[in-house]
C-alpha cells in the first residue's frame, strides 16, 4: 500500500491540540507542546495518528522536521 502524504502547517504553544484541514488542502496542527527537543513533532505524530485512527508507528514526518510546514506520511 502506498503511503498517503499530507502537508501540515504547525502552530506550537497553542491552548489546545487540534488538527483541521484548510481550504487549500494544507492541514493546520495546533499543538500544546513547545518546539523544543522534538516535543512538538512527537505530539504531531500522535495527533495525526489519532485523527486518522492508525497506530503512531504508521505516521512519520517525511520532510520538514525542523520547519513549520511539514510533509507527513501515513502508511
Amino acid at each position: 500500500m502506498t503511503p498517503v502524504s499530507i502537508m501540515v502547517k504547525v502552530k506550537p504553544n497553542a491552548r489546545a491540540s487540534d488538527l483541521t484541514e484548510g481550504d487549500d488542502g494544507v492541514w493546520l496542527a495546533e499543538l500544546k507542546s513547545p518546539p523544543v527537543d522534538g516535543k512538538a513533532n512527537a505530539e504531531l505524530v500522535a495527533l495525526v495518528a489519532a485523527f486518522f485512527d492508525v497506530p503512531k508507528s504508521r505516521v512519520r514526518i517525511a520532510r520538514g522536521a525542523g520547519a513549520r510546514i511539514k510533509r507527513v506520511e501515513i502508511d
Side-chain angles (χ1 to χ4, degrees), residues 6-72:
I6 61 172
M7 295 299 294
V8 181
K9 183 177 182 181
V10 176
K11 181 182 174 189
N13 296 319
R15 290 181 184 230
S17 296
D18 192 28
L19 183 65
T20 55
E21 186 175 10
D23 294 334
D24 58 357
V26 176
W27 292 75
L28 174 64
E30 296 179 273
L31 307 173
K32 291 168 97 175
S33 299
V36 178
D37 297 330
K39 291 180 183 179
N41 285 342
E43 184 181 350
L44 174 63
V45 168
L47 186 64
V48 170
F51 187 87
F52 289 101
D53 196 29
V54 296
K56 288 190 288 187
S57 62
R58 295 184 53 196
V59 177
R60 72 181 187 96
I61 298 173
R63 184 175 291 162
R68 292 273 174 132
I69 297 181
K70 304 173 187 302
R71 179 179 303 274
V72 178

